[in-house]
Each structure stands twice: as C-alpha cells, then as structure tokens.
Amino acid sequence: MSRVGKKPIPVPKGVKVTIGDELLVEGPKGKLTVPIPHGIRFTKQDDGTLELSRDTDQYAALHGLTRALAASAVQGVSTGFTREMDITGVGYRADVKGKIATFTLGYSHPIELLLPDGVDLKIDKQTHLVVSGYDKQMVGQVAANIRSLRPPDPYKNKGVRYTGESLRKKVGKTGAAAK
C-alpha cells in the first residue's frame, strides 16, 4: 500500500471539493483542478476529509501522486504557497509594478519579467523577494525562472538564490598563476 496514498486529506472550512471526471477544488484564494487517473477513486468522508483508493497494485505509483497533487491543491486554495529569494551583488536589485517585475542584475540592460495570473511578487529592501500564489507548480516555476536570470556565481556568490540555499564557494586564481 502506498504510504502517501492512504493518508486522508483534511479539507479546511471554506474549501469546496467537487468529485467528477477530475477533482475541482475551490477556496478563498482561487480554484484548481486535479486530474483523476483511471483506477483511482476519491471518496468524501463526513468528517471533512478526502480519501483515495485504487483498484489494483498496478496503480500504486499513481495512487501516491494523485493524493499529493490533491493535497497541494487543497492547501493552495486555502493558505497558498510562498517561495523566498535573495539577490546578492553590488548594484543588483529588483522592482515590481503591477504584473511586470524589473531586475537589474549587472547586465547592460534591465530585465523585465511578466508575472502570470495567480502569482504575486513582493519585494523588501530591493533584494529580498517573496513569490506567492495558490498553484504550487506555478510558484516554483516562476521562482526558478527568476533564479535563472542570474544564477549564483560559485566564485563571488553573486546572483539570485533561494533564501537558505547553501552554496559552495570556489577558490579563484592565485597571484603567481595570474601573472
């Protein structure tokens, strides 16, 4: 039995779950759909939880995957997800106006990034970013796109990184070899 798949999903108050061809989850932050693969069944319990079952052991991997996707959808529409990032480097900064984020990352031009619907970006002190939204996959993808604009440099540790990301700093050239 899948350890992840057999755990029930608690549904908080204010979240409406509709089971059909796909699972529709609506809450205060938005609404998401989760596909229900063949061989997996959802059952809604009276105590406000969702449970999953599968037909045979052939669907064991899909059992855990579907439960994880459904739990992420329920958490997303009720509380949402956040990803924090830091910009390190002299003169590196970010600014956001509406749905357009502008980054100054040491290139000859500022970089503009259009934020998709459902994703918000808050900037503290021009160097601390908080990406938030109700779709876990989209929040992670936007954060990865921002990080890819200037990945952390292993020699000077400059660039965009996730908060708490540990980097291994490399040793640069020495004086004798550089002459």
Side-chain angles (χ1 to χ4, degrees):
M1 187 82 186
S2 170
R3 288 187 197 166
V4 174
K6 66 183 176 183
K7 286 170 49 177
I9 303 169
V11 179
K13 294 202 182 323
V15 175
K16 182 180 159 201
V17 177
T18 308
I19 302 168
D21 290 340
E22 35 184 42
L23 188 73
L24 179 67
V25 183
E26 295 180 67
K29 299 231 180 225
K31 69 180 186 177
L32 292 170
T33 58
V34 177
I36 301 175
H38 176 73
I40 306 292
R41 280 193 292 278
F42 278 92
T43 54
K44 195 169 186 178
Q45 303 296 327
D46 294 333
D47 59 349
T49 60
L50 277 174
E51 289 190 359
L52 280 87
S53 60
R54 65 175 187 247
D55 293 341
T56 63
D57 286 345
Q58 176 184 355
Y59 303 109
L62 284 175
H63 190 202
L65 171 72
T66 307
R67 191 258 176 219
L69 292 174
S72 292
V74 169
Q75 182 185 346
V77 298
S78 61
T79 59
F81 295 98
T82 60
R83 200 70 202 247
E84 295 188 17
M85 307 178 82
D86 291 318
I87 300 175
T88 309
V90 177
Y92 289 13
R93 63 181 174 274
D95 188 32
V96 67
K97 288 190 175 104
K99 285 284 184 189
I100 297 177
T102 307
F103 297 91
T104 306
L105 298 173
Y107 296 117
S108 61
H109 59 284
I111 301 169
E112 291 186 347
L113 184 73
L114 180 66
L115 298 172
D117 293 334
V119 175
D120 292 328
L121 178 66
K122 292 185 180 66
I123 299 176
D124 305 332
K125 300 178 282 186
Q126 295 182 335
T127 58
H128 185 74
L129 315 173
V130 179
V131 182
S132 60
Y134 61 88
D135 189 353
K136 186 176 188 176
Q137 189 271 334
M138 196 176 298
V139 168
Q141 186 63 52
V142 169
N145 290 346
I146 291 172
R147 185 182 185 274
S148 71
L149 297 175
R150 177 70 89 168
D153 176 35
Y155 296 101
K156 295 185 179 180
N157 280 349
K158 297 183 344 181
V160 182
R161 69 178 79 169
Y162 300 117
T163 300
E165 180 181 6
S166 61
L167 298 174
R168 199 177 282 167
K169 190 171 181 186
K170 292 185 178 179
V171 178
K173 294 180 181 176
T174 58
K179 289 183 182 181

